[in-house]
Structure formats: C-alpha cells, structure tokens
C-alpha cells in the first residue's frame, strides 16, 4: 500500500496515464487560496479520517476497475467463443436373461445412470441367444425372440448382464454353460456374477464349497446333510439294489423290499 501511495504521488507517473484512467488522480490540484483566519479554521476543523480515507477508496475503486478491464482483449483480436454443444452419450444396454413372464423393461423405465445416461433393456432366454466374444472387441450378442407373434432379430454389445435363469438343466438341450463362458470371455459384468452362475451349474461343486464352511464352523454352527459322491457309476455296482414290489390282499399295503445283491441284505419299507 505504501509503494502504491509513493508511486501514485509521482507527478510524472500520473501525467503519463491514459485519458480516463484513474480520473481522481488526474484532476488538477485546486489553486492556492488566501489562508483562512485562525478563527475560521477553529470553527470548521478538517476531519483527519476523511482526508486519509478518500484517496484509499478512490484507489481501490480504480484498482477494481482495472482488474475488470485487464482480461478483456482489444476488439478484433479474439474471436467470440463458439457455443458449446452438449455431448449426448449413448444409452447403456442391459441384457436380462429371463423368460417372458417378467417384463424387466418396466422396472428400468425412466431410470438413468449417473443422472444423464439412459438404460436400454434387452430381454431374452438362453435358448434365444448366440454370441461371439473377442479379446479386444468385447462381446457381440445375437438375439432372436418372438414378441406378440413378431420375430425380432437384433445384434448388440451389452454393457451389463442380469441373469435370472438357470444356465444348466438335466433336460435335453438345456446346457447353456458355453454362453456363460462366452459372456465371461467378453469381460461383461453381471449380477449374479458369471463365476457364481457357472459354479452353480454343478450341484456337487456347490456342495463341496458347503463342506469347506462345515469344516470351518463346525457341525453345531453349520449342520450339513451327509452325502456321498461318486465320479461315475462304476463304484456303485456293488451297491445296486433290486426293487421288488408286491401287494397283499389283506390290507392292500404296498411293501417295498430292497435286496442287496452284494451283501445279501433285505430291507422292507411299508407304505400305507
């Protein structure tokens, strides 16, 4: 502040200022008048605070005006900024693997990701899907569905997978584990995870994970039904049982007798 006061008090500096810049400093000093009488000075004393505050207020007002004018370049040297075009992002595709009994599109209607990205729902069963997965190109899904008697064929790259259907069944031609592997190969996120979906295709594999919890917590905290696993049918040959059913005329009771061919033991069960 003292530097500015000394600088602005220099007459040569003030004389070189452009016209209209800090007009308070360029006004000519008032001509000296005849000294007033001491009685008049005593009657009208000059306020000391006002004499110091007036230059300071004019200085800050001029400095503020200069700061506002500094970023502005001369006209004709800068082009006006071009209007900013809003970037419209593509909608995210959610692939729902489920039957047609549940319409998942209504649950995501009007929903947006991060408040501005729309969600497009594609729903189909495993039997209606085919895919091709690449290392760098992601996963391309082909869908062929029939909606209201109209066959719809589409190809798209999903961004997320919602699995609501079993990927493996004992029924004929209902093994879709290859599709799960393809989705995992394409690196697609899913709920439930594709790792868990693939693991649950094998019930013994899931039970083996339960056995780990059983040994970790103990039978009191995590009881487990005793089971026996055979890799194939050969170890079970010695335990093949013959089933005999006969009916008595007395009470029409069905008697099931299991005859063990290996141990020659007989177990009978009554069913009323």
């Amino acid at each position: 502040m003292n530097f500015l006061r000394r600088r602005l008090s220099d007459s040569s500096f003030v004389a070189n200022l452009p016209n209209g810049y800090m007009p308070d400093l360029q006004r000519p000093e008032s001509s000296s008048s005849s000294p007033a009488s001491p009685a008049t000075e005593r009657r009208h004393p000059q306020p000391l605070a006002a004499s110091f505050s007036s230059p300071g207020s004019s200085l800050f007002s001029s400095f503020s005006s200069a700061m506002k004018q500094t970023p502005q370049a001369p006209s004709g040297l800068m082009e006006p900024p071009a209007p900013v075009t809003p970037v419209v992002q593509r909608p995210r595709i959610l692939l729902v693997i489920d039957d047609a009994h549940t319409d998942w599109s209504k649950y995501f209607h009007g929903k947006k990701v991060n408040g501005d990205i729309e969600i497009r729902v594609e729903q189909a069963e495993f039997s209606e899907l085919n895919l091709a997965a690449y290392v760098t190109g992601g996963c391309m899904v082909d869908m062929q569905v029939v909606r209201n008697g109209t066959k719809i064929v589409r190809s798209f790259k999903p961004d997320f997978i919602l699995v609501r259907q079993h990927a493996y069944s004992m029924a004929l031609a209902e093994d879709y584990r290859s599709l799960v592997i393809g989705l995992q190969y394409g690196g697609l996120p899913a709920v439930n995870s594709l790792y868990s979906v693939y693991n649950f295709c094998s019930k013994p594999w899931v039970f083996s994970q339960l056995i780990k919890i059983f040994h970790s917590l103990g039978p009191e905290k995590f009881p487990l039904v005793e089971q026996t696993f055979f890799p194939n049918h050969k170890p079970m040959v010695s335990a093949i049982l013959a089933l005999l059913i006969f009916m008595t005329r007395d009470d029409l009771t069905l008697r099931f007798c299991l005859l063990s061919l290996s141990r020659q033991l007989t177990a009978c069960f009554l069913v009323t």
Side-chain angles (χ1 to χ4, degrees):
M1 181 62 71
N2 294 330
F3 170 76
L4 293 176
R5 287 178 179 174
R6 290 194 303 270
R7 186 61 175 166
L8 296 175
S9 63
D10 188 358
S11 60
S12 60
F13 173 77
V14 176
N16 293 329
L17 289 177
N19 293 331
Y21 194 82
M22 296 186 179
D24 295 338
L25 301 178
Q26 293 182 351
R27 288 182 300 188
E29 296 181 356
S30 59
S31 59
S32 59
S33 58
S34 59
S37 62
T40 306
E41 292 181 358
R42 286 194 298 267
R43 287 196 303 267
H44 304 284
Q46 295 290 338
L48 182 61
S51 62
F52 283 100
S53 62
S54 178
S57 60
S58 61
L59 173 64
F60 281 111
S61 61
S62 301
F63 188 75
S64 301
S65 301
M67 288 294 100
K68 293 179 181 179
Q69 296 175 2
T70 300
Q72 298 178 0
S75 60
L77 298 181
M78 291 185 61
E79 297 182 357
V84 180
T85 304
V87 179
V88 180
Q89 300 188 11
R90 67 173 184 86
R92 297 297 186 262
I93 300 178
L94 170 64
L95 174 59
V96 181
I97 303 178
D98 196 3
D99 52 35
H101 295 291
T102 304
D103 184 11
W104 286 92
S105 61
K106 66 180 182 180
Y107 295 103
F108 293 93
H109 180 70
K111 305 297 182 181
K112 293 185 178 181
V113 180
N114 297 331
D116 56 353
I117 304 177
E118 296 182 355
I119 301 176
R120 195 181 97 195
V121 178
E122 298 287 353
Q123 182 174 343
E125 301 183 27
F126 272 116
S127 59
E128 300 170 333
L129 297 177
N130 197 5
L131 59 83
Y134 309 93
V135 175
T136 57
C139 183
M140 178 65 70
V141 176
D142 300 326
M143 182 180 68
Q144 296 184 9
V145 298
V146 178
R147 296 289 184 268
N148 299 324
T150 304
K151 186 176 182 180
I152 302 174
V153 180
R154 272 200 292 266
S155 297
F156 53 88
K157 283 187 175 182
D159 298 288
F160 201 87
I161 311 294
L162 175 61
V163 183
R164 300 291 298 173
Q165 188 179 22
H166 292 294
Y168 177 76
S169 175
M170 296 298 294
L172 183 63
E174 290 193 5
D175 185 0
Y176 305 109
R177 288 177 290 182
S178 60
L179 293 177
V180 178
I181 295 175
L183 296 174
Q184 179 72 13
Y185 195 93
L188 292 174
V191 173
N192 292 323
S193 67
L194 297 175
Y195 180 81
S196 63
V197 171
Y198 188 83
N199 284 339
F200 268 83
C201 291
S202 176
K203 299 302 187 294
W205 181 267
V206 176
F207 197 83
S208 67
Q209 307 303 315
L210 299 179
I211 294 176
K212 291 183 179 180
I213 302 177
F214 172 80
H215 290 301
S216 176
L217 300 179
E220 293 81 9
K221 295 183 179 180
F222 193 81
L224 200 62
V225 179
E226 184 70 23
Q227 292 188 8
T228 303
F229 174 78
F230 297 100
N232 49 56
H233 68 281
K234 294 180 179 179
M236 301 175 62
V237 173
S238 60
I240 294 179
L241 302 179
L243 176 62
L244 300 179
I245 304 176
F246 62 94
M247 180 184 300
T248 61
R249 298 180 180 178
D250 299 335
D251 51 3
L252 298 178
T253 301
L254 295 179
R255 298 172 182 266
F256 294 91
C257 294
L258 302 180
L259 303 179
S260 175
L261 301 181
S262 60
R263 301 180 183 179
Q264 296 182 354
L265 297 177
T266 302
C268 295
F269 303 90
L270 300 180
V271 178
T272 58

